[in-house]
Amino acid sequence: QVQLVESGGGLVQPGGSLRLSCAASGITLSTMVMGWFRQAPGKERELVASITSSDSTNYAASVKGRLTISRDNAKNTVYLQMNSLKLEDTARYYCNAYDNFLKRFYWGKGTLVTVSS
């Protein structure tokens, strides 16, 4: 059974930092395209960062320079380092894995990030 479990969310002040983790079981993250999505109340889910199996990364314009996606293949875990957080970064953050061989997406249940003073 495939599971993606996010952790690391919480309440942080503007300008602060958080590191989100996505631990996988049942799949090997090193072979997949991994992404972090977020969904704010009343808004659609959006992609904020992705990393390919060859470690090529891509970021939404709104987070470029502040968020960094990385992976630790030995731990089968993907991270999202979030710096200089803004009020508009408040959202539930979801981990996503795309298996290009099976053409299948996997999702975690998300972790809530709240940026507030």
Side-chain angles (χ1 to χ4, degrees), residues 5-73:
V5 180
E6 302 96 334
S7 61
L11 175 64
V12 62
Q13 292 186 340
S17 297
L18 284 174
R19 189 177 81 153
L20 306 184
S21 300
C22 171
S25 58
I27 54 174
T28 302
L29 296 189
S30 62
T31 65
M32 301 193 180
V33 179
M34 300 300 302
W36 283 97
F37 288 71
R38 68 185 180 188
Q39 187 166 20
K43 295 188 176 182
E44 294 188 353
R45 192 173 296 190
E46 62 173 350
L47 176 66
V48 294
S50 63
I51 184 167
T52 69
S53 57
S54 58
D55 287 342
S56 176
T57 58
N58 188 51
Y59 298 93
S62 60
V63 307
K64 195 170 291 185
R66 300 188 299 115
L67 274 56
T68 303
I69 189 171
S70 62
R71 69 165 87 222
D72 185 332
N73 292 335

Side-chain angles (χ1 to χ4, degrees), residues 61-113:
S62 60
V63 307
K64 195 170 291 185
R66 300 188 299 115
L67 274 56
T68 303
I69 189 171
S70 62
R71 69 165 87 222
D72 185 332
N73 292 335
K75 295 182 178 180
N76 213 29
T77 300
V78 173
Y79 303 98
L80 185 68
Q81 178 66 43
M82 308 171 69
N83 298 328
S84 302
L85 284 164
K86 303 177 180 181
L87 297 175
E88 53 264 40
D89 293 320
T90 295
R92 179 167 289 274
Y93 284 72
Y94 297 88
C95 179
N96 171 272
Y98 177 63
D99 186 331
N100 191 48
F101 179 73
L102 296 178
K103 308 300 182 188
R104 183 175 295 175
F105 287 95
Y106 303 99
W107 290 93
K109 294 183 178 180
T111 185
L112 184 62
V113 172

